[in-house]
């Protein structure tokens, strides 16, 4: 459960912004979207490897 302490006279929009940020950091939406479609472990590993190669190439290009 996310708890947002509000001070006396604090604007409700400010409290909503804090709530949205905390909720986003929990990763609930990201996890739900990931669970909507089943991805086989072999496909997931392949994508992770491709991403790792891409990141490594980007780091080497910086150097």
């Amino acid at each position: 459960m996310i708890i947002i302490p509000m001070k006396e006279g604090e604007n409700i929009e400010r409290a909503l912004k804090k709530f949205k940020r905390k909720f986003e950091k929990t990763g609930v939406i990201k996890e739900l979207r990931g669970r909507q479609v089943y991805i086989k472990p072999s496909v997931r590993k392949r994508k992770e490897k491709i991403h790792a190669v891409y990141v490594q190439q980007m780091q080497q290009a910086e150097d």
Side-chain angles (χ1 to χ4, degrees), residues 38-46:
Y38 178 74
I39 301 172
K40 293 189 340 183
S42 60
V43 174
R44 181 176 291 142
K45 286 179 189 176
R46 191 178 325 131

Side-chain angles (χ1 to χ4, degrees), residues 2 5 9-10 16 31 46 51:
I2 299 174
E10 187 177 9
L16 278 171
E31 186 177 334
R46 191 178 325 131
H51 179 70

Side-chain angles (χ1 to χ4, degrees), residues 1-61:
M1 178 184 281
I2 299 174
I3 298 173
I4 308 296
M6 283 186 61
K7 297 176 184 172
E8 185 89 19
E10 187 177 9
N11 192 359
I12 189 73
E13 274 83 36
R14 193 172 191 91
L16 278 171
K17 270 189 176 181
K18 286 181 183 179
F19 173 77
K20 286 179 184 179
R21 266 189 251 125
K22 278 190 175 185
F23 184 73
E24 205 172 284
K25 284 184 181 179
T26 60
V28 174
I29 298 295
K30 190 174 183 179
E31 186 177 334
L32 283 173
R33 287 187 181 150
R35 288 181 180 206
Q36 284 180 344
V37 178
Y38 178 74
I39 301 172
K40 293 189 340 183
S42 60
V43 174
R44 181 176 291 142
K45 286 179 189 176
R46 191 178 325 131
K47 284 186 177 184
E48 287 176 3
K49 284 181 184 179
I50 291 169
H51 179 70
V53 169
Y54 171 76
V55 169
Q56 195 172 33
Q57 287 175 347
M58 294 300 288
Q59 288 177 348
Q60 286 177 352

